[in-house]
Amino acid sequence: MYRLLDCITQEHIYGLVAVAAFICVIGSVLSTHMSTRLTQWTGMRRLVQLPLAGLITGATIWSTHFIAMLSYDPGYAHGYEPVLTGVSLLVGVIGSLAANTGLAYARSRIAACAAGAVFGLTVTAMHYTGMNAYLLPGTIVWSLPHLVASVLLGAGFGALSYGLIVQRLGGVAGRLWPAGAMVLAICLMHFTGMSAIEIRLDSSIEVPTETISDTAMAMLIFGVTGIILLIAIASASIEVNLEGESRSQLTHAALHDPLTGMPNRMWLTRKLDALQTQLTENETAKAAVLTIDLNLFKEVNDLHGHAIGDAVLRRVSQSLNEQKGEGEYIARVGGDEFVAIKLGFRRIEEVQSFAERLHAAIVEPIDLEEVSLRVGASIGIASTLEDGRDPNQLLHKSDVAMYRAKSEADTPICQFDEEMDRRSRDKTQLVHDLRLALQNNEFELVYQLQNTLETLAPVGFEVLLRWNHPTRGRVSPDEFIPVAEETGLVRDIGAWVLREACREAAQWDHPYSIAVNVAPQQLVQPSFVEDVMDNLFETGLDPQRLELEITEASIIDDQAHTLKVMHKLKELSIRIAMDDFGTGYSSLSMLQTFPFDKIKIDRSFVQDVHKDAQRAAIVRSTLLLGAALDIPVLAEGVEVEDELSFLRAESCTSVQGFYFGQPMTRDDMRRIACNAAVDGEKNAA
């Protein structure tokens, strides 16, 4: 140790030692930075960067060594042999390339430390190659202990540096510790190696004239070092800039909608989180959240195609962006749903004015090359003035208010209130209870008679679903069926109804028909026909006794698929009825195209048909249409004798309704079926 300190303090020029240290630190920071990247990169990017990293690391070792050598003053003439000087640089670069290659492909920390040891040995090899290029009038005698120590110090701190690189400490420490270990590997190896030499002068040995002088060597070193460090700094700068640009582009892509360029749902989530912090820290801060949903947009897609739909969304987004002012933000969070945020207002009227601006912008005509269109919008508002200070709750409440606005055609903008919240919670609870109703056996089937009009004798039953809630009692189908359709639960419920109806009808002694309503969501299930076949097979029900009632909405949503399903059902001898005829998009072409066995006139046309000329005309036209197409017609909702008389006079085929009694329980229905079977046996006898 004394010899090392004596070498540094007594035999070197401090200024140049400081320059050597500075170059070593800068080069080591750049080298460890690039080496760290090599452990993260893959493929061609890693292969391109490996030679550059080797050049920078090797140049750092070489320039540190020779600047330190310039600071060494032996007190007599000396110089540097050109070839070996160049070879020493080559040794440093090739060795560093080998070490960095080992680091880049290391699969464990031990392998990385081994690569670091190779780096330390490269420092040693470069040092002693450079020392052999050092010419002076005498010979150099080496101290073996110091020489061995220099090799061990270089290899040890090199292994430590590379081990710290793969540890990925992160932050400033992750950059400084590996660089510091590399600086120690280079400097301690060099100065320990210098302390190992003893020069024995010999007047018979002359320094050749073809050597590189200290001045020339200094110019060479600083020239090479400057160029390489500039390349390194430029490379690191370009890399950082490119990485920053790539990160910015990725962040922008992650936070923005590719179709419209507007902020997306992820952006909204971050914005709401930031808004939560702002509202917590500043009790006087105010915020409003507006949920916007386009009306009639599905029709645009259905009628004109998705390309036109996308063009409409881009135009609407552009119009919304043009309405933004200071403290106003808008994001697209779904297909045709947007969320706006307004900050910095004092009165709720300012928020309402903002909503009106957005609504007015949306409902403006949209003129495209192919077509001119109009869409509407429903907007819900929730604000910190009345609805709490939790941004996520404000979003939920504005969504509730938006659905209220959508349900009221004359109120496109709706502000949240507690009554909406109560209804929303009730609906959520209803959905939860509905999910449990099947497994808790809370559903029940009731049966409504269908009678032939000629004799008024029963010809079949339509099954109707009832829900016996454990706490709310009997829940109206008008209340829970729309919720079941909206949530998709109608598929499981409908499957249960069909299975139970088939099982029940198969037990009757008299072959009454059984009519079951089929929801649109059931028809689109790929396994629907197979499920029907399984029910018929398991219960043994004659397919001709099963009648499936399909609404017009089921047909309109997907005509091609519905037609295919109906033909498969007809092949099984199952009968199909068009339910609620006249309430939707009924047309002659639909009756001609689809293989219906029955038309059911909706009760809204049958009620008071004998007193209402318009209803009478509709019913009469439907009956004539059925006769022309040879399709029997059943009238629903018959309640009084006059309605029955009108239908009989117009040659209606069959009827059902309260005139024949309320929908009956299973036991009452079984008595009718049993009596019919007994009567049939008597008549046969």
Side-chain angles (χ1 to χ4, degrees), residues 13-32:
I13 302 171
Y14 296 156
L16 288 176
V17 171
V19 172
F22 176 76
I23 295 296
C24 184
V25 169
I26 298 298
S28 296
V29 169
L30 291 171
S31 296
T32 53

Side-chain angles (χ1 to χ4, degrees), residues 559 578 585-594 596 625 629:
Q559 295 193 26
M578 173 181 276
Y585 307 93
S586 306
S587 67
L588 178 60
S589 63
M590 184 179 296
L591 292 174
Q592 290 177 314
T593 303
F594 292 87
F596 289 108
L625 182 61
L629 297 174

Side-chain angles (χ1 to χ4, degrees), residues 103-382:
L103 174 67
Y105 294 97
R107 291 291 179 267
S108 64
R109 192 175 180 185
I110 294 176
C113 290
V118 172
F119 164 78
L121 294 176
T122 297
V123 176
T124 303
M126 182 266 130
H127 174 85
Y128 289 112
T129 302
M131 289 302 299
N132 282 329
Y134 191 60
L135 303 177
L136 68 165
T139 58
I140 297 177
V141 179
W142 302 94
S143 168
L144 185 60
H146 288 84
L147 189 149
V148 172
S150 69
V151 174
L152 294 177
L153 285 170
F157 279 99
L160 176 62
S161 176
Y162 278 39
L164 291 171
I165 287 174
V166 296
Q167 192 171 348
R168 298 182 182 178
L169 298 174
V172 177
R175 296 177 182 273
L176 293 184
W177 286 113
M182 183 173 287
V183 169
L184 290 175
I186 296 172
C187 292
L188 287 179
M189 186 279 129
H190 174 85
F191 288 109
T192 303
M194 291 300 294
S195 68
I197 68 173
E198 179 183 349
I199 300 174
R200 295 179 181 176
L201 297 177
D202 187 344
S203 58
S204 63
I205 299 175
E206 294 183 359
V207 177
T209 56
E210 295 83 6
T211 60
I212 303 174
S213 65
D214 283 356
T215 302
M217 191 66 182
M219 294 176 63
L220 176 63
I221 293 171
F222 286 114
V224 171
T225 303
I227 292 172
I228 293 177
L229 289 183
L230 284 175
I231 293 173
I233 293 172
S235 174
S237 176
I238 292 171
E239 175 203 329
V240 170
N241 289 336
L242 288 175
E243 189 173 291
E245 290 178 5
S246 299
R247 187 180 294 111
S248 297
Q249 291 173 355
L250 288 173
T251 301
H252 185 274
L255 299 178
H256 289 77
D257 169 45
L259 176 64
T260 64
M262 296 186 77
N264 61 13
R265 184 175 290 277
M266 183 179 293
W267 177 93
L268 178 65
T269 300
R270 294 189 180 184
K271 184 65 178 178
L272 292 177
D273 291 341
L275 184 57
Q276 177 70 78
T277 303
Q278 181 181 346
L279 293 175
T280 302
E281 294 176 350
N282 184 358
E283 295 183 357
T284 63
K286 298 178 179 64
V289 179
L290 298 82
T291 298
I292 307 162
D293 192 79
L294 302 185
N295 299 335
L296 305 177
F297 181 72
K298 182 179 184 299
E299 286 75 5
V300 171
N301 275 333
D302 291 344
L303 294 174
H304 302 286
H306 289 281
I308 295 296
D310 290 347
V312 168
L313 285 174
R314 284 192 291 267
R315 188 68 62 84
V316 168
S317 300
Q318 180 182 350
S319 299
L320 290 175
N321 281 327
E322 291 172 354
Q323 300 304 315
K324 288 191 305 183
E326 184 178 356
E328 297 171 350
Y329 310 89
I330 306 176
R332 181 189 176 212
V333 296
D336 60 347
E337 187 174 348
F338 301 81
V339 171
I341 296 174
K342 183 172 177 62
L343 308 176
F345 59 90
R346 296 183 179 180
R347 299 175 296 112
I348 191 63
E349 288 77 12
E350 297 176 54
V351 180
Q352 292 170 342
S353 177
F354 178 44
E356 289 168 0
R357 278 192 282 124
L358 297 179
H359 184 265
I362 293 172
V363 300
E364 283 291 315
I366 299 174
D367 296 321
L368 304 174
E369 292 183 3
E370 301 87 346
V371 67
S372 180
L373 299 169
R374 245 183 221 274
V375 293
S378 300
I379 302 178
I381 302 174

